[in-house]
Amino acid sequence: QREYEDTIGGVGELFKVEIDKNTGHNDDQSVAITNPEKKYYTRIDQLKIPCKPKTKYTLRAYVKGLNLEHSKKCGGARIFVGAQGDVNAPVTLMGPGPSRTKMKAVDPWSFDWTKFETTFNSKNNTELGLTIYLHFTKGTIWIDDVELIEAK
């Protein structure tokens, strides 16, 4: 697990990526992402995570959502893993949203802490990037206990 605090930043006053010291899955804090409109992305990146090429890894995270409203393009929270967190060419992606899970979503949509997990191959990469973002969705998500570990 890595610290995210050094990469946190938002765009404008209404878009927020911050440490919430009052809400957490297993403790009292998590990363909160707030997006005021459905037409934008608000994100946090963790880049240059060393990995072994052609190796299976497991990505696991807990996510909580409050008053999420999706655009017609789908929306939801997304976690992308790829070379330097490239959202255009991910090795894998996951997260809550009507287009990615079997969770039924209505607007506004709220849910308590939910575990999301996927296993993938690192392909030829020696470094990966992790991008967590709120995708074409208004509302707030909290992300906690993010792990990227070699699969057993």
Side-chain angles (χ1 to χ4, degrees):
Q1 292 178 331
R2 301 182 125 204
E3 294 295 323
Y4 288 89
E5 225 162 328
D6 61 334
T7 61
I8 290 180
V11 178
E13 292 182 16
L14 298 177
F15 302 87
K16 293 181 185 175
V17 178
E18 59 191 352
I19 299 291
D20 182 333
K21 296 190 178 193
N22 298 309
T23 305
H25 175 251
N26 279 324
D27 56 19
D28 292 335
Q29 68 179 18
S30 61
V31 173
I33 300 175
T34 300
N35 202 354
E37 296 184 40
K38 299 177 198 179
K39 61 184 179 180
Y40 296 108
Y41 294 70
T42 305
R43 68 190 244 181
I44 182 172
D45 300 304
Q46 178 69 54
L47 305 178
K48 298 187 178 188
I49 301 168
C51 71
K52 297 176 190 172
K54 299 177 183 169
T55 303
K56 284 189 178 183
Y57 284 87
T58 297
L59 172 63
R60 182 179 304 123
Y62 287 82
V63 182
K64 177 180 178 175
L66 180 66
N67 295 327
L68 301 176
E69 295 180 29
H70 302 85
S71 75
K72 293 178 183 175
K73 294 182 179 183
C74 67
R78 297 286 183 267
I79 303 173
F80 279 81
V81 177
Q84 296 310 308
D86 184 358
V87 296
N88 295 314
V91 174
T92 191
L93 63 103
M94 69 174 193
S99 65
R100 299 282 179 212
T101 67
K102 293 180 181 177
M103 297 173 77
K104 292 186 179 181
V106 294
D107 287 337
W109 182 43
S110 297
F111 56 94
D112 205 357
W113 290 109
T114 304
K115 178 177 153 181
F116 292 88
E117 183 174 310
T118 188
T119 299
F120 64 95
N121 189 295
S122 62
K123 300 184 180 176
N124 291 322
N125 294 298
T126 58
E127 286 185 340
L128 293 171
L130 184 67
T131 299
I132 302 170
Y133 68 100
L134 201 49
H135 174 253
F136 293 129
T137 301
K138 177 181 177 180
T140 301
I141 58 166
W142 290 265
I143 310 270
D144 203 1
D145 299 329
V146 178
E147 295 180 294
L148 181 60
I149 56 174
E150 194 171 332
K152 297 179 181 179

